Structure formats: C-alpha cells, structure tokens
Amino acid sequence: MMRGRFISIEGGEGAGKSTMVERLTTWLESRGHRVITTREPGGTVLAEKIRAILLNDDHAELCSQAELLLMFAARAQHLEELIRPALGRGETVLCDRFTDATWAYQGGGRQMPAALIAGLEEMVHGDLQPDLTLLLDLPVELGLERASRRSEADRFEQEPLRFFERVRQAYLDRAAAKARRFAVIDASGDIEQVWAQIEAVVERRLG
C-alpha cells in the first residue's frame, strides 16, 4: 500500500485554521480520501495532557527550553501512536500545526537556537515531512483581534505583539525557504475567500 498523504495547516493566532481543517476534511472525503484530522500539540491522550500543560496560563514559570522539549515530546508520541500508522494505512492525515509551528513559535517567538530545533526535529521524525503545508497568513493585529473574540487567551496568546510579529516572520521565512512544500494563503479575507485559495492549491498540488 502506498503511503498516505500528509497535509499540515499552519498559521498564527486567529488565522482560521480550525475552520479550514473542517472544510478541507469534508472536501477530501468527498473525493474518496480516508481522512484523519488531528492537531499539535496533542492528537493522542498523552499528547493532549502535554498540550494542557503548555497552554495553561497558570504555568508562566515554564522556561523556553522546557517548552521546546515538551513540544517535541508530544510530537514523538503523536507520530508513534497516530500519524505514522495512519500514513502506513494509506490514509490522509490533516494536521492543525506540525513542526513548522515549533520553528515559528519557539524559534521565532522564543528565539531558541535553530541548531537545537533542527537536532530535535531530526531525532523525532527525521525526513518525514508534510507533503503540503498550507500557511494561513494575516497581519498580527487582525489575527489577535479575531482570537480575542473566540475565547479567553491561553499562555501563548498573552505574549506581547512583538512576539507574534517574530512568529509571523519566522513562518514566512520558512515558507520562502521551503517553497516546494509550502503554499502561503492570504487569510485576511472572509471564509469563502480563504477556502477558494486552499481548494485551488490542494487541487493543483495533490490532484
């Protein structure tokens, strides 16, 4: 059996990732894909417990190194328990964030060393990368304004504006460096405008 397709959706706060994951899942299933939807950090029982630690705003003392290691610990479990088996069965995995988010948030936002992130990436998943990464990009202030209407701010969402500016730039830099895998989507418009871009890209890239 051929390996299944692996699609990740990335973006900063308020980019509309969850909405587009739902929309893309329905679209793929209508075309005969067996789709597994998941998210990071999280995706399995154990990884979701790590997610709860990472997002809890009571954990302000969590240092950058511990945060980075917890991200990759959750990812290792996620890959072992869910992503690799699903791909091995020929299923399409649609993941709300993956390692590119670590490069953006811990690399860009926290300014952790690139060599450290690269080493952990190699250890945890080697050359396994998404076949397609959709980066939902929008101005930081617009994204934060949308996110503030959605729910109370978690530990990350309480960071200052300059943190999210670094996150956005890190995402865009990574997309430029890995243009064959990435597609940058203008997420500043309404749902239908964003979806039209995604549909066109997925149809063109994955057939």
Side-chain angles (χ1 to χ4, degrees):
M1 181 180 292
M2 291 181 61
R3 199 206 84 172
R5 298 296 184 95
F6 185 11
I7 304 171
S8 60
I9 296 187
E10 298 282 355
E13 312 310 309
K17 294 181 291 79
S18 298
T19 300
M20 290 303 124
V21 165
E22 292 180 8
R23 196 80 173 256
L24 184 53
T25 298
T26 300
W27 187 88
L28 288 166
E29 288 177 340
S30 73
R31 283 153 179 78
H33 290 255
R34 291 174 294 159
V35 182
I36 299 293
T37 60
T38 188
R39 67 178 182 178
E40 288 214 345
T44 71
V45 172
L46 181 56
E48 288 290 335
K49 291 179 179 179
I50 298 174
R51 178 189 179 90
I53 294 170
L54 286 161
L55 270 59
N56 192 325
D57 60 7
D58 289 338
H59 299 156
E61 75 281 6
L62 188 67
C63 70
S64 297
Q65 292 91 338
E67 179 182 287
L68 177 64
L69 291 169
L70 284 171
M71 286 289 184
F72 273 105
R75 183 163 299 131
Q77 189 67 28
H78 192 199
L79 283 157
E80 177 71 19
E81 192 174 339
L82 190 149
I83 293 176
R84 289 187 187 277
L87 293 174
R89 294 191 298 268
E91 296 169 344
T92 296
V93 175
L94 181 54
C95 193
D96 183 341
R97 292 195 172 134
F98 192 58
T99 304
D100 296 302
T102 300
W103 284 98
Y105 280 81
Q106 284 71 53
R110 302 284 188 223
Q111 299 181 299
M112 297 292 290
L116 180 57
I117 299 173
L120 290 167
E121 180 179 22
E122 175 63 26
M123 181 181 72
V124 170
H125 58 92
D127 60 357
L128 174 62
Q129 296 288 348
D131 299 295
L132 172 64
T133 296
L134 302 166
L135 173 58
L136 276 56
D137 177 63
L138 77 170
V140 169
E141 290 183 339
L142 174 59
L144 292 174
E145 192 274 329
R146 287 180 179 177
S148 70
R149 299 198 304 262
R150 180 187 64 205
S151 60
E152 290 187 15
D154 62 31
R155 192 175 66 86
F156 284 97
E157 291 168 345
Q158 294 179 18
E159 293 293 336
L161 184 65
R162 63 182 179 276
F163 173 89
F164 294 106
E165 293 286 3
R166 292 196 300 269
V167 168
R168 184 190 186 195
Q169 190 58 55
Y171 265 135
L172 291 172
D173 290 346
R174 192 148 173 85
K178 299 183 179 296
R180 292 186 65 180
R181 173 163 66 84
F182 270 83
V184 180
I185 306 296
D186 179 1
S188 61
D190 63 30
I191 290 174
E192 295 305 322
Q193 290 171 329
V194 176
W195 168 246
Q197 296 174 70
I198 290 175
E199 183 180 25
V201 166
V202 176
E203 187 76 70
R204 184 174 67 252
R205 296 279 191 97
L206 299 185

